[in-house]
Amino acid sequence: DTGVSQNPRHKITKRGQNVTFRCDPISEHNRLYWYRQTLGQGPEFLTYFQNEAQLEKSRLLSDRFSAERPKGSFSTLEIQRTEQGDSAMYLCASSLADGELFFGEGSRLTVL
Amino acid sequence: AQSVTQLDSQVPVFEEAPVELRCNYSSSVSVYLFWYVQYPNQGLQLLLKYLSGSTLVKGINGFEAEFNKSQTSFHLRKPSVHISDTAEYFCAARRGSQGNLIFGKGTKLSVKP
């Protein structure tokens, strides 16, 4: 499968714990995006990278959230001191420059 | 700020009937417009996109959309739906080629036999 891969697909954690999600984009894609989707809402933009550079961050990305793409390939999204409001589906997408975004199947986070 | 409004949260329709899912955008600058589909437990898949040129855009699975600049709309249509079209549909806009995608809240299409 050469699509966008995300793991874990599901994560249940207790409030206050840290969690990390990983995204492996389509190999030749230089752009990588993170979105968050909650029930009844469309995906909301969090941040995006061009190669290893983080070019834009949404106001939704509080200081408890950090994203990295150290070698311009895979990316991680870490949430520190999780809160119940962080429960959502975290979506990753990749693209070639300004081309079509290809989405992964998402990582669902449940904070108890 | 740019925004995307999907006017219907749920659209029930019978199989083989036509359907229109409505989308309006707000932007004072040129935008690129997209429709994505999300089947249960799957990722978002691009249905079609408008970048420039002809205002009628054809996509996969028999869907099409028409860009209407004067009404700032990009409604999605299909002349005859199938049970397999049951899914959630998202309209999205992008300002130019460099910006990120802004999504609407989605419309759940439910096709009944």
Side-chain angles (χ1 to χ4, degrees):
Chain A
D1 183 15
T2 57
V4 178
S5 175
Q6 293 187 247
N7 64 82
R9 294 289 312 279
H10 303 275
K11 179 71 176 180
I12 300 174
T13 191
K14 292 182 179 179
R15 188 177 54 180
Q17 298 294 304
N18 299 343
V19 296
T20 299
F21 299 113
R22 176 178 169 128
C23 172
D24 287 272
I26 294 171
S27 58
E28 63 268 25
H29 285 184
N30 58 351
R31 286 196 185 170
L32 187 148
Y33 304 77
W34 285 100
Y35 284 80
R36 181 176 70 186
Q37 186 177 18
T38 54
L39 204 59
Q41 301 292 322
E44 297 170 298
F45 170 76
L46 293 178
T47 187
Y48 94 93
F49 294 83
Q50 177 146 317
N51 301 312
E52 65 275 11
Q54 189 172 17
L55 295 188
E56 189 174 348
K57 291 196 290 187
S58 161
R59 289 172 297 171
L60 293 174
L61 212 67
S62 77
D63 56 6
R64 295 184 298 105
F65 287 69
S66 62
E68 294 183 346
R69 195 182 183 198
K71 297 181 181 178
S73 57
F74 73 91
S75 175
T76 57
L77 176 69
E78 182 183 15
I79 309 173
Q80 296 182 325
R81 305 181 303 281
T82 52
E83 301 173 356
Q84 287 185 324
D86 297 331
S87 295
M89 179 75 85
Y90 290 86
L91 300 172
C92 177
S94 69
S95 74
L96 271 173
D98 56 353
E100 173 188 346
L101 270 65
F102 290 82
F103 283 84
E105 294 184 336
S107 292
R108 183 172 295 282
L109 173 65
T110 302
V111 182
L112 302 176
Chain B
Q2 186 172 303
S3 69
V4 175
T5 303
Q6 291 184 244
L7 298 165
D8 306 296
S9 59
Q10 297 189 45
V11 173
V13 65
F14 286 107
E15 193 174 18
E16 297 183 7
V19 71
E20 178 179 84
L21 305 184
R22 297 180 292 170
C23 173
N24 286 87
Y25 67 93
S26 67
S27 177
S28 59
V29 298
S30 297
V31 293
Y32 297 169
L33 296 162
F34 305 79
W35 275 98
Y36 282 82
V37 60
Q38 188 174 35
Y39 298 103
N41 299 314
Q42 293 189 29
L44 291 156
Q45 180 183 1
L46 182 67
L47 271 180
L48 49 79
K49 60 186 176 186
Y50 171 77
L51 304 181
S52 64
S54 172
T55 56
L56 183 63
V57 180
K58 293 190 184 296
I60 62 171
N61 301 341
F63 284 93
E64 63 181 34
E66 184 156 19
F67 171 62
N68 188 320
K69 188 174 182 179
S70 63
Q71 298 190 2
T72 60
S73 68
F74 190 56
H75 300 334
L76 181 70
R77 301 185 184 103
K78 186 169 182 177
S80 175
V81 293
H82 302 291
I83 299 285
S84 59
D85 292 323
T86 295
E88 191 157 19
Y89 293 78
F90 292 94
C91 182
R94 185 182 206 176
R95 191 165 60 217
S97 64
Q98 302 298 318
N100 64 78
L101 281 177
I102 304 297
F103 285 87
K105 291 188 176 184
T107 298
K108 289 184 179 175
L109 175 65
S110 175
V111 181
K112 303 176 187 302

